[in-house]
Amino acid sequence: WFRPPNFTTVEWQAEVVLIADCVWVDELVQPLLRTISDYLEQSYCNPVFLVSYQRRGKSAHEMFWAGMTKLFRSISKVDNDNNDIAQHPLWKRKPDVLNVFRCEP
C-alpha cells in the first residue's frame, strides 16, 4: 500500500475489502489510510471493509482508528461470539486478541 494503483483504471472493483493484521507500527498507518481513502474516492460501489485486528502498539492503534473514523460513517464491531470465529482455538484462549470490525462509507 505504499504505491497504490490508480483504482479508476482497474476493470473490477470489490464490494467487500478485507484488511487483516496490517497495523502494528506507526510507519504503516498513513500509507494504509491513504490507500483506503484513494479506493473510497475512486470506487463506484461503496465497498464494505472488514478489518480483522489485533491491537499491538498504542500509538499505531490510536493513529489507525483516528484515521478510520474520518474515512467511514459507520464502524461496528462484529459479534464474534455468535459465528465461526468463536470456535477458533485462539479465540477460545484469548477472546480479547482478535477483533473484527465492519466499516461502511
Side-chain angles (χ1 to χ4, degrees):
W1 56 79
F2 283 86
R3 291 182 297 178
N6 179 345
F7 294 107
T8 59
T9 62
V10 177
E11 293 182 19
W12 55 269
Q13 293 201 353
E15 294 179 22
V16 177
V17 177
L18 174 64
I19 300 173
D21 204 24
C22 59
V23 176
W24 61 91
V25 294
D26 295 356
E27 296 79 25
L28 299 176
V29 175
Q30 288 307 318
L32 175 60
L33 291 172
R34 190 171 38 256
T35 299
I36 294 169
S37 177
D38 289 351
Y39 190 80
L40 289 170
E41 288 175 8
Q42 298 171 29
S43 178
Y44 54 78
C45 65
N46 273 342
V48 170
F49 282 68
L50 296 178
V51 181
S52 172
Y53 185 77
Q54 177 180 350
R55 182 177 173 168
R56 292 194 176 111
K58 181 180 180 185
S59 176
H61 168 81
E62 290 174 352
M63 284 176 23
F64 180 65
W65 287 108
M68 292 293 280
T69 58
K70 291 177 183 173
L71 293 174
F72 294 96
R73 66 174 169 76
S74 172
I75 298 176
S76 57
K77 187 170 181 183
V78 173
D79 181 5
N80 295 331
D81 294 329
N82 294 315
N83 60 39
D84 291 338
I85 293 171
Q87 304 308 313
H88 192 279
L90 177 62
W91 184 259
K92 288 181 178 183
R93 203 170 61 242
K94 292 186 173 186
D96 59 331
V97 168
L98 178 64
N99 295 288
V100 178
F101 297 89
R102 180 183 177 100
C103 307
E104 298 182 56

